[in-house]
Amino acid sequence: MVNRVLLIDDEEKLRKLLSKIISLEGFDVIEAGDIKSGLKKLEVNDVDVVLCDVKLPDGNGVETAKLIKERYPIVEIILLTAYGNIPDGVKAIKNGAFEYITKGDDNNRIIPLLYKACEKVALARRVQQLEKQLGDRLSFDKIIGKSNAIQAAIGMAQKVAVTNTTVLLTGETGTGKEVFAQAIHQASSRRDRNFVAINCAAFTKDLLENELFGHKSGAFTGATKDQRGLFEEAHLGTIFLDEIGEMALELQAKILRVLETGEFLKVGDSKPTKVDVRIIAATNRNLETEIASDHFRSDLFYRLSVFTIELPPLRERIQDIVPLAQYYADIFAVKSNLKPLQMSPAFVQALEHNVWRGNIRELKNVIERSVILSEGGVLDVQSLPFGERDYREGKGDLSNFSMANIERQHIQRVLKHTNGNKAEAARLLEIGIATLYRKIEEYKIQ
């Protein structure tokens, strides 16, 4: 596939010269003399990179970069200026430009930058294509798994999806409850309306109330204008209340009122707001136990549990582990700009014998780590973070290595993967940046 470049410059002689040079490198070049005509050509052409002058008759390239990235997030922008300055350069990068270079001084950088920008665009397109499988419009046929346990859960969800019945999804953390909630929404008559999700455990009581129901201007200090809550955003659609077992009792009463009357009171309001919303709730807690401990309202439980679906843990879906692992391996290989990876027999055996306390979420994290540590296009058991405690038939011989040596090698590989970016390495290692610096010093990592 030939990469297409849109060249926007009002200096015709320079534009024609650049166009010829870029074309000789094998790029397909489209020309425009101003921003207006350039944006029109973007609308009708599949462009990879925009090469744009900063000062144009009808606007500024730095501001145009922001507009282009908003409309076409995958397109990369290289800005050209006759008089480079640091503030403009900083703003250009903040606005999403791939690079900001000076005409004349940096002419020899244009072609290499175009190649790099096109590589980034190609990678973004591959990621976008893969993630469509589990994207916003997730449907049941995209749920990975052929085991009896997951197929039984899918069958129940498909039956309830076509109704407006409230659904309660139960199961351990990481079993895919939000994936099921989205699939139910997409299979319902509300599919063309909003699907809104919130984790009830992520907010304090007051913040959660404000997020769910919104507030009126003047309701509290700093409330300078009315704010819509998520229930209003989900009007005629679906709201997914994850970890509802963590919700305060006072808020549970407000959820019950929505279920019973279809209305609620915003914070600081005396007039009820009416909504038509389907509620899908989820929890990893035993709500009947929570009721006995006075932590959950029994009347809300009975309204939520009209139709309950329990999602099976991964350890009860052994035949689904490898297909799920391969799916995530493909995604992370693309993101790391690697060719498709194969799983060694020992790697497969280790996956199938692990306990998977964190279920699919843990599997996803493990595969991301293994892809980073992969060598020679193969995922092998040495890249797995669990040992004999979880790998019950452990064939991986880690006993030949000290824990310190394993940790040192792991940190080195992650730093290599991030090109020395310590903040990103600390995120992938799930440790604090200060801890990473301490270990780099302790292990004398260069």
Side-chain angles (χ1 to χ4, degrees):
M1 177 181 168
V2 177
N3 293 114
R4 183 169 291 155
V5 177
L6 171 61
L7 175 56
I8 307 175
D9 199 315
D10 61 323
E11 296 181 45
E12 187 175 359
K13 287 184 179 179
L14 176 61
R15 188 176 72 241
K16 294 294 183 185
L17 177 61
L18 270 176
S19 178
K20 187 174 182 180
I21 293 170
I22 295 168
S23 297
L24 288 172
E25 289 290 331
F27 294 95
D28 181 14
V29 183
I30 304 170
E31 297 180 37
D34 53 42
I35 291 170
K36 185 178 180 181
S37 59
L39 292 176
K40 283 185 178 179
K41 291 186 177 182
L42 265 176
E43 289 177 4
V44 296
N45 292 280
D46 189 13
V47 171
D48 296 299
V49 182
V50 175
L51 190 61
C52 182
D53 192 12
V54 168
K55 290 190 177 181
L56 290 160
D58 56 345
N60 183 284
V62 175
E63 297 301 329
T64 304
K66 184 177 181 182
L67 178 64
I68 292 172
K69 290 302 285 187
E70 286 173 352
R71 294 184 184 177
Y72 312 98
I74 287 179
V75 173
E76 293 299 335
I77 304 140
I78 299 172
L79 293 174
L80 301 170
T81 179
Y83 307 100
N85 63 77
I86 292 173
D88 267 2
V90 171
K91 190 173 183 182
I93 301 303
K94 283 185 176 179
N95 284 353
F98 182 77
E99 188 58 276
Y100 174 91
I101 61 177
T102 305
K103 291 180 182 178
D105 295 346
D106 294 327
N107 282 354
N108 61 335
R109 296 179 60 203
I110 291 176
I111 299 302
L113 282 173
L114 283 174
Y115 279 116
K116 286 182 180 178
C118 287
E119 286 177 7
K120 187 176 178 183
V121 171
L123 178 61
R125 293 195 196 282
R126 287 174 67 197
V127 171
Q128 188 180 60
Q129 185 177 7
L130 274 172
E131 291 188 336
K132 277 183 180 177
Q133 297 179 57
L134 287 174
D136 292 335
R137 294 191 168 271
L138 179 70
S139 58
F140 288 110
D141 61 354
K142 301 297 183 185
I143 295 177
I144 298 170
K146 299 296 182 184
S147 64
N148 291 336
I150 198 64
Q151 286 299 312
I154 290 172
M156 291 183 68
Q158 287 173 322
K159 289 179 180 178
V160 76
V162 295
T163 73
N164 274 317
T165 302
T166 301
V167 179
L168 177 64
L169 301 171
T170 63
E172 297 175 9
T173 297
T175 49
K177 293 186 279 291
E178 185 167 353
V179 170
F180 264 75
Q182 288 190 40
I184 290 169
H185 172 73
Q186 288 303 325
S188 75
S189 59
R190 298 172 181 262
R191 67 178 68 87
D192 295 325
R193 301 289 183 166
N194 285 345
F195 172 87
V196 179
I198 186 168
N199 186 328
C200 300
F203 299 88
T204 63
K205 171 190 166 294
D206 291 338
L207 283 176
L208 181 58
E209 182 176 13
N210 190 55
E211 287 291 315
L212 290 172
F213 304 112
H215 63 253
K216 294 292 289 182
S217 175
F220 49 84
T221 303
T224 56
K225 59 182 180 179
D226 292 356
Q227 178 178 302
R228 287 159 59 92
L230 294 182
F231 269 98
E232 280 184 279
E233 294 293 336
H235 180 57
L236 300 179
T238 304
I239 190 166
F240 175 56
L241 304 176
D242 197 10
E243 303 299 351
I244 197 168
E246 309 293 332
M247 184 180 287
L249 287 167
E250 300 94 313
L251 283 186
Q252 292 177 29
K254 295 192 76 167
I255 300 295
L256 181 62
R257 182 179 180 185
V258 177
L259 282 167
E260 291 179 338
T261 67
E263 62 182 35
F264 61 87
L265 284 175
K266 289 186 178 184
V267 178
D269 201 359
S270 57
K271 182 182 177 182
T273 300
K274 293 194 72 68
V275 288
D276 175 4
V277 175
R278 181 185 198 171
I279 294 178
I280 301 176
T283 182
N284 60 7
R285 291 177 176 267
N286 184 323
L287 293 186
E288 291 176 309
T289 301
E290 296 298 303
I291 291 168
S293 304
D294 293 326
H295 294 149
F296 204 83
R297 294 179 62 108
S298 59
D299 46 4
L300 177 58
F301 171 71
Y302 296 130
R303 289 302 302 264
L304 290 174
S305 60
V306 174
F307 199 96
T308 300
I309 303 172
E310 182 166 3
L311 301 189
L314 195 54
R315 61 182 172 275
E316 294 177 8
R317 303 174 51 190
I318 293 176
Q319 72 186 86
D320 298 334
I321 291 173
V322 172
L324 282 164
Q326 189 63 64
Y327 169 77
Y328 288 121
D330 290 343
I331 284 186
F332 292 125
V334 168
K335 288 184 176 181
S336 299
N337 205 20
L338 298 172
K339 292 179 180 179
L341 298 166
Q342 301 296 317
M343 292 185 283
S344 73
F347 186 85
V348 169
Q349 186 181 38
L351 294 182
E352 291 180 338
H353 286 83
N354 189 45
V355 176
W356 298 117
R357 294 180 180 86
N359 295 292
I360 299 171
R361 187 176 300 150
E362 181 189 357
L363 174 65
K364 179 181 177 181
N365 292 339
V366 164
I367 296 301
E368 181 178 14
R369 177 186 188 273
S370 293
V371 168
I372 292 169
L373 299 177
S374 65
E375 294 180 353
V378 177
L379 296 174
D380 210 347
V381 70
Q382 283 79 10
S383 68
L384 293 170
F386 40 78
E388 294 179 2
R389 180 176 62 85
D390 288 341
Y391 179 14
R392 290 185 292 242
E393 293 183 16
K395 303 290 184 182
D397 184 13
L398 297 180
S399 60
N400 294 333
F401 304 96
S402 70
M403 285 303 297
N405 191 40
I406 292 169
E407 185 175 54
R408 182 179 186 276
Q409 291 178 12
H410 181 46
I411 290 171
Q412 285 178 315
R413 285 173 174 171
V414 174
L415 283 168
K416 182 180 178 182
H417 172 76
T418 64
N419 294 318
N421 186 324
K422 295 180 177 62
E424 177 65 7
R427 184 191 70 79
L428 292 170
L429 289 163
E430 298 183 358
I431 61 175
I433 188 71
T435 302
L436 177 58
Y437 274 106
R438 178 175 56 77
K439 289 183 180 293
I440 288 172
E441 184 177 353
E442 177 184 345
Y443 295 134
K444 296 180 173 55
I445 297 172
Q446 300 299 320

